[in-house]
Amino acid sequence: MKKIKDKPQESEDLLLEKDRLWQPRIVAFLCNWCSYAGADLAGTSRIKYNPQIRIIRVPCSGRVNPLFILRAFIDGADGVLVSGCHPGDCHYSTGNYFARRKFALLKRLIEFCGMDERRIHFSWVSAAEGSKWSQVVNDVVNAVYQAGPFTGFDLPVFSKETEIETPADLCKQGPERFAYSIDLMSRTGKK
Amino acid sequence: MARIGVFVCWCGSNIAETVDVKEVAKYAGCLPGVVISIDNKYMCSDPGQRLILDAIQKEKLTGVVVAACSPRMHEVTYRRTVAQIGFNPYMLEMANLREHCSWVHPDKRMATEKAKDLVRLMVEKVKRNQPLYNVQIPVTKKALVIGGGIAGIQAALDIAQGGYEVILVEKSPSIGGHMAQLDETFPTLDCSQCILTPRMVEVAQNTRIRLYTYSEVEAVDGYIGNFQVTIRKKARSVDIKKCTGCGQCIQKCPTKTKSEFDAGMGIRKAIYVPFPQAVPNKPVIDRDICLKFTKDRCGACQKVCPTGAINYEQQDEFVTEDVGAIICATGYELTETHIYPEYGNDPDIISGLQFERLVSASGPTLGELKRPSDGNAPQSIVFLQCVGSRDPLAGRPYCSKICCMYTAKHTMLYRHKVHNGKAYVFYMDIRAGGKNYDEFVRRAIEEDHAIYIRGRVSRIYRKGEKLIVLGADTLLGAQVEIEADMIVLATATVAPKGIEKLAQMLGVSYDLHNFMCEAHPKLRPVETNSAGVYLAGACQAPKDIPESVAQAGAAASKVLGLFGQKELSREPIVAQVNQSTCAGCFTCKEVCAYKAIEIREIKDKKGNLIKFVAEVNKGKCQGCGACAATCRSNSIELCGFTDSQIFSQINHLTDGVTIEEPPGEVPMDAEETQGVSEETEKERLIEKPALAGQKVKN
């Protein structure tokens, strides 16, 4: 799948062009017990939904490190969906509560950074909600489609020789860069 | 170097219809690290599994990706298969091409693209899989049964029969449940108490069963094989050891209230035994109405008690028990009779359970049928089915299942008491599936002349002595007006109030209507998603007695199967701490729902303390990964879902082939862009040592 690097001008021709070439790429982190099973149920019930979604199975929404979400954007995703059990129904009792708090924070951070909030979604889908799952996917794909291709974190020349800029420097350069700087910070000190 | 085998399944036409399986297999074969890629009609069949085994041996595979159905379906099957030849089962992963792709995307091109992506992600993940080995944990061979209705009684007896100890907890003062309230049972019309009470006595006499009545489960801790359960023994105000059950206290008690056992049709005293055959047959004081507790007067029961068993100072007592398995048999409740405003709230409109008490020989009227308002025998009764159930607008679209049968039974019981009485039944459909069930309904119509009218009732109102029922006969296409003396509503079966609290405690999921969820609706109907917790009876869905008993037996056999093992072998999807980098902040301890994180001291050779680090108790860890996502120093990994595995999947969202090229070369679609493209940027990031874990090494 090819991607347009620059956001097209909002003229009709270009929008049509965009329609033709670009399909959003969305990553979904699904907890094994509710949402993954809900997606399975959508399958067994043959409920059709948009194919632009790539599912990564995790044991619990609490397993999803906010870094996974930022990383997904860096690696070419246009939108991210995290879905877990309904509050109170977590297979691991409290995992989705931790997830909820983390994502509430992350969402605020991402909005603060100027990134389009339509790119990042959280939902609760239970193992019995196959139709809700398809609805969620379609809604997310639509929202991301509206937001257009993700072009953030697109840093200019930044070779090995250049010194790593400080997060403060990156902040000055633009809002979406700030999120990138967060990512940089978190990766320093990684194994 | 990784040697991965990819096995793409057609699943007959289930996958092959919308996914070009051959193309996916061909594509997978080109992925770096993949040495063999095969497709087959049915991978899960014997020849299909043989293919995988042969490839593992021939190609010396280090990892296997089966691209077929959901891992929730067949992961266990394939892992078991590869384990037969000594291949580590956790080096096998499944890409979900059926439930998540072919069944939901009708467009063949898009579905095939997605299938390729899903396979690629799994190949990248499996490259980073580590061999894992099952965790062995000991099992406490004692079971807990929650709920002392027929399902709980049956389960307890079956486990005790198998030779293991059982703790039976019942929240009301006696075991027996709803079945003890019934008069006669369908489809045989045998007396409910005659068949139930011997079993209740058996429970009381069985030395392997410890009975906690008037008790509730307060907290559940631990995991399969090793649960710690806290039981609250509510204060009975009667010393059960001293009490002989003579009943003098009950005779002298001046305070009266509606009896729960008689479904509000009869009365009981403040100190009471729910029913004469109660087990244990020891009274309990209802502190909400007893004068001693409300007004500090009376004390009659204490004065007359010959053994001094009455103890007003008794407090709730907490007992902790270690058990290895839990059976939840908490049963059901019925909705109120006045759920539809158009039916009104007349005393002569009663529920099926209340009717049951009115016709019961042990009931408030001693088996004489008297209507509640004036005590006359009703000359005509209208029975309404599906009151509150099969009604999506009322929020209960499900069928309550037992009402068709018990209404037929009620018409018979009524006609046996009042020979000239008229029994009308308004029904939507008759659901009499079961051995001898349809014959039973037919008998009610043909032999006992019950008048069945297909249709709904729109209004009930009182006119003098009579209740007027306005309804429709949809078979005749006519309106019907019936004068009745009494109305019996087959009210909906619902989950008991507050049951979701227990479900959360047990870690069992529950559906929209608060019925507990089984692990699989067809193949694992008694297990739950919480290992070691099983379901029996109507807590799962409305059920009649034979079904409840059958399920209780099944749950008991699951428990016996668990207890039959010497040690329990558990999946090794657990967290692991890198103790050299752990800083000992113990944030992981805060987020762990299972108290699986323990503090360990690290000492040098001389025994001086160097630092405290976290350690995971593998028996307690359930593998949720909350700790791994929370660790500030990245020192915890969740085996099977490590950071590097998930990052590698994220990394290869877009076609992974581009990053294989040496840095500096122009990426494939660079001509479209000016300056430095996203891809080169990504490449550069991949090059960074910080991301070495995710780099493809070949």
Side-chain angles (χ1 to χ4, degrees):
Chain A
M1 211 160 297
K2 296 198 169 173
K3 293 184 77 188
I4 290 179
K5 293 302 168 208
D6 298 309
K7 260 187 187 167
Q9 305 286 310
E10 297 298 304
S11 81
E12 235 167 66
D13 285 0
L14 275 168
L15 277 176
L16 282 175
E17 179 77 359
K18 183 170 105 176
D19 271 3
R20 201 169 57 77
L21 280 179
W22 181 72
Q23 290 287 350
R25 185 174 288 264
I26 292 149
V27 192
F29 295 96
L30 301 195
C31 87
N32 182 37
W33 305 99
C34 291
S35 296
Y36 196 90
D40 275 2
L41 182 67
T44 36
S45 327
R46 314 292 200 278
I47 304 170
K48 309 285 183 251
Y49 55 84
N50 195 298
Q52 296 307 327
I53 196 133
R54 303 289 178 264
I55 293 168
I56 294 182
R57 182 165 74 127
V58 287
C60 174
S61 50
R63 170 72 186 96
V64 179
N65 193 328
L67 215 53
F68 295 170
I69 298 169
L70 296 175
R71 188 73 222 174
F73 283 116
I74 295 172
D75 286 335
D78 301 302
V80 173
L81 165 67
V82 181
S83 188
C85 308
H86 284 273
D89 294 350
C90 180
H91 179 75
Y92 301 106
S93 350
T94 53
N96 55 0
Y97 290 135
F98 291 118
R100 183 165 66 177
R101 277 179 236 165
K102 260 181 235 163
F103 301 146
L105 260 180
L106 180 74
K107 193 153 185 167
R108 282 182 59 190
L109 174 75
I110 277 185
E111 281 172 37
F112 173 75
C113 296
M115 201 170 131
D116 198 327
E117 60 170 326
R118 288 175 295 186
R119 297 191 187 285
I120 181 161
H121 295 261
F122 307 108
S123 68
W124 315 119
V125 175
S126 84
E129 295 175 325
S131 54
K132 185 180 174 187
W133 166 248
S134 73
Q135 191 56 46
V136 165
V137 172
N138 289 339
D139 289 351
V140 169
V141 173
N142 273 341
V144 176
Y145 196 81
Q146 311 264 310
F150 180 65
T151 51
F153 305 142
D154 224 355
L155 282 183
V157 190
F158 191 91
S159 67
K160 266 182 220 166
E161 289 74 40
T162 346
E163 269 180 56
I164 292 182
E165 294 167 81
T166 65
D169 291 337
L170 286 167
C171 281
K172 281 174 210 155
Q173 290 174 24
E176 288 204 331
R177 306 280 303 283
F178 181 69
Y180 179 78
S181 75
I182 302 282
D183 183 61
L184 271 186
M185 282 198 305
S186 54
R187 267 189 286 118
T188 1
K190 234 180 113 72
K191 286 168 273 183
Chain B
M1 202 181 83
R3 293 178 64 82
I4 313 289
V6 178
F7 302 87
V8 191
C9 179
W10 291 52
C11 195
S13 66
N14 280 311
I15 295 173
E17 201 171 17
T18 42
V19 171
D20 190 339
V21 175
K22 293 251 179 238
E23 197 186 322
V24 173
K26 205 172 127 197
Y27 169 82
C30 303
L31 289 171
V34 175
V35 289
I36 182 168
S37 176
I38 320 177
D39 62 282
N40 186 271
K41 263 258 149 58
Y42 289 103
M43 253 335 160
C44 56
S45 68
D46 213 40
Q49 296 190 9
R50 198 69 254 160
L51 263 179
I52 302 177
L53 298 184
D54 288 346
I56 291 173
Q57 283 166 333
K58 221 176 273 168
E59 300 284 340
K60 296 192 172 56
L61 297 182
T62 58
V64 172
V65 173
V66 182
C69 47
S70 170
R72 290 172 59 89
M73 175 103 186
H74 270 323
E75 195 176 66
V76 180
T77 318
Y78 290 117
R79 284 188 169 171
R80 218 176 272 153
T81 308
V82 296
Q84 288 169 10
I85 54 162
F87 186 79
N88 191 291
Y90 297 95
M91 299 303 287
L92 179 144
E93 294 280 352
M94 287 190 73
N96 192 342
L97 296 197
R98 197 178 71 176
E99 278 84 347
H100 288 185
C101 194
S102 72
W103 273 351
V104 288
H105 305 317
D107 182 319
K108 192 158 187 175
R109 190 181 59 84
M110 299 286 249
T112 307
E113 282 305 310
K114 180 170 175 178
K116 287 180 187 171
D117 281 359
L118 293 178
V119 171
R120 185 179 64 237
L121 295 191
M122 266 314 155
V123 168
E124 288 309 322
K125 182 179 181 189
V126 95
K127 280 182 191 166
R128 288 149 185 91
N129 275 19
Q130 296 290 327
L132 301 173
Y133 301 93
N134 280 358
V135 182
Q136 304 295 329
I137 43 173
V139 181
T140 310
K141 291 179 180 170
K142 197 199 287 179
L144 169 76
V145 177
I146 308 172
I150 182 61
I153 289 172
Q154 182 67 38
L157 286 172
D158 284 353
I159 298 170
Q161 174 116 44
Y164 299 102
E165 273 184 67
V166 186
I167 295 161
L168 180 58
V169 178
E170 165 60 42
K171 74 172 172 189
S172 69
S174 166
I175 56 170
H178 281 303
M179 190 177 167
Q181 293 175 281
L182 306 183
D183 178 38
E184 285 170 3
T185 53
F186 61 79
T188 45
L189 289 191
D190 48 351
C191 155
S192 173
Q193 296 208 332
C194 310
I195 51 176
L196 175 69
T197 45
R199 313 234 79 188
M200 289 161 61
V201 174
E202 238 181 281
V203 168
Q205 289 174 344
N206 197 315
T207 47
R208 293 207 185 97
I209 300 178
R210 194 136 25 103
L211 190 57
Y212 288 105
T213 49
Y214 209 48
S215 305
E216 284 182 47
V217 173
E218 196 70 16
V220 179
D221 210 3
Y223 52 96
I224 182 169
N226 300 276
F227 291 105
Q228 288 89 40
V229 184
T230 312
I231 299 162
R232 183 158 68 101
K233 291 168 79 179
K234 292 182 272 186
R236 248 186 138 93
S237 315
V238 172
D239 189 334
I240 211 160
K241 283 194 186 116
K242 287 186 191 162
C243 175
T244 58
C246 68
Q248 288 191 38
C249 49
I250 303 174
Q251 284 174 8
K252 286 284 181 289
C253 179
T255 321
K256 288 172 187 168
T257 187
K258 280 185 176 173
S259 159
E260 295 89 356
F261 181 76
D262 283 333
M265 291 283 104
I267 49 163
R268 66 161 169 84
K269 299 289 185 63
I271 182 163
Y272 69 105
V273 174
F275 55 104
Q277 302 95 321
V279 170
N281 203 338
K282 306 284 165 79
V284 51
I285 294 180
D286 181 350
R287 291 189 173 187
D288 293 338
I289 57 162
C290 171
L291 290 177
K292 188 76 193 172
F293 289 96
T294 52
K295 299 196 173 113
D296 196 22
R297 300 197 265 116
C298 186
C301 47
Q302 197 171 39
K303 279 170 219 154
V304 296
C305 182
T307 57
I310 308 287
N311 177 6
Y312 298 125
E313 261 80 66
Q314 210 177 53
Q315 296 292 321
D316 287 4
E317 210 182 301
F318 293 90
V319 198
T320 311
E321 294 276 1
D322 288 334
V323 295
I326 299 175
I327 293 181
C328 185
T330 43
Y332 68 97
E333 272 176 13
L334 290 181
T335 51
E336 301 289 320
T337 47
H338 48 271
I339 48 171
Y340 290 137
E342 60 268 34
Y343 291 178
N345 196 7
D346 197 277
D348 285 338
I349 302 180
I350 60 172
S351 73
L353 201 56
Q354 287 173 323
F355 182 82
E356 206 78 54
R357 293 313 300 153
L358 282 185
V359 291
S360 170
S362 68
T365 56
L366 300 176
E368 220 179 304
L369 187 55
K370 294 174 178 171
R371 66 178 196 164
S373 62
D374 54 10
N376 292 333
Q379 292 309 308
S380 62
I381 301 187
V382 173
F383 295 89
L384 307 189
Q385 289 191 191
C386 301
V387 177
S389 29
R390 298 183 68 195
D391 184 352
L393 288 180
R396 282 179 294 273
Y398 60 88
C399 168
S400 288
K401 196 160 188 187
I402 50 177
C403 337
C404 284
M405 292 308 294
Y406 78 58
T407 303
K409 177 187 78 181
H410 286 171
T411 61
M412 288 162 128
L413 295 179
Y414 168 59
R415 291 274 301 181
H416 297 169
K417 302 259 176 198
V418 183
H419 298 300
N420 297 323
K422 282 207 161 79
Y424 300 91
V425 180
F426 279 92
Y427 69 99
M428 283 164 75
D429 298 287
I430 296 297
R431 298 189 162 175
K435 196 175 181 180
N436 290 330
Y437 280 17
D438 205 52
E439 295 92 317
F440 183 76
V441 177
R442 200 151 279 281
R443 211 170 101 203
I445 299 170
E446 287 169 1
E447 288 177 24
D448 288 304
H449 305 291
I451 303 157
Y452 270 69
I453 304 166
R454 187 180 187 276
R456 300 288 284 166
V457 168
S458 58
R459 202 176 150 216
I460 300 170
Y461 62 93
R462 182 167 276 281
K463 193 171 167 191
E465 294 265 286
K466 299 281 186 183
L467 286 162
I468 310 294
V469 179
L470 294 177
D473 186 331
T474 52
L475 294 182
L476 287 179
Q479 291 198 347
V480 200
E481 188 179 318
I482 297 170
E483 283 189 0
D485 288 324
M486 199 161 91
I487 312 245
V488 179
L489 307 181
T491 47
T493 304
V494 292
K497 275 184 204 84
I499 201 67
E500 60 275 19
K501 207 182 130 201
L502 178 70
Q504 286 168 14
M505 225 187 278
L506 295 170
V508 175
S509 47
Y510 47 94
D511 65 15
L512 289 175
H513 314 293
N514 287 357
F515 288 113
M516 298 203 187
C517 287
E518 61 286 327
H520 188 284
K522 279 166 256 170
L523 302 177
R524 296 174 69 198
V526 298
E527 292 113 313
T528 64
N529 267 344
S530 190
V533 181
Y534 307 91
L535 301 178
C539 63
Q540 181 201 11
K543 278 197 189 71
D544 58 16
I545 296 167
E547 278 187 328
S548 299
V549 171
Q551 199 188 11
S557 82
K558 291 281 169 197
V559 172
L560 293 177
L562 171 69
F563 289 176
Q565 296 171 42
K566 208 171 157 200
E567 259 184 339
L568 193 66
S569 183
R570 267 207 45 224
E571 270 209 332
I573 309 296
V574 289
Q576 217 171 29
V577 180
N578 178 350
Q579 294 184 335
S580 58
T581 55
C582 174
C585 69
F586 296 110
T587 322
C588 46
K589 201 164 181 266
E590 306 278 320
V591 299
C592 182
Y594 303 96
K595 304 186 179 73
I597 307 273
E598 289 161 3
I599 300 175
R600 192 181 152 203
E601 292 177 358
I602 300 270
K603 287 179 177 162
D604 64 9
K605 279 178 191 163
K606 290 176 191 161
N608 301 320
L609 181 70
I610 302 173
K611 64 171 180 176
F612 291 104
V613 292
E615 190 166 67
V616 177
N617 179 330
K618 286 189 179 172
K620 286 186 179 175
C621 179
Q622 297 291 301
C624 69
C627 52
T630 309
C631 182
R632 293 165 183 179
S633 58
N634 251 332
S635 302
I636 304 190
E637 284 288 23
L638 178 65
C639 299
F641 294 93
T642 60
D643 274 2
S644 81
Q645 284 173 316
I646 296 174
F647 274 126
S648 71
Q649 284 178 289
I650 300 170
N651 241 321
H652 290 79
L653 279 173
T654 43
D655 209 298
V657 182
T658 49
I659 68 153
E660 294 304 316
E661 292 162 18
E665 213 169 280
V666 185
M668 264 152 59
D669 53 353
E671 66 272 20
E672 278 183 24
T673 55
Q674 298 294 314
V676 179
S677 74
E678 217 171 318
E679 266 72 16
T680 40
E681 173 61 15
K682 192 179 346 163
E683 253 170 47
R684 200 200 48 70
L685 287 173
I686 301 289
E687 273 298 293
K688 280 168 71 72
L691 287 166
Q694 294 134 41
K695 196 183 150 196
V696 183
K697 295 221 171 69
N698 56 337

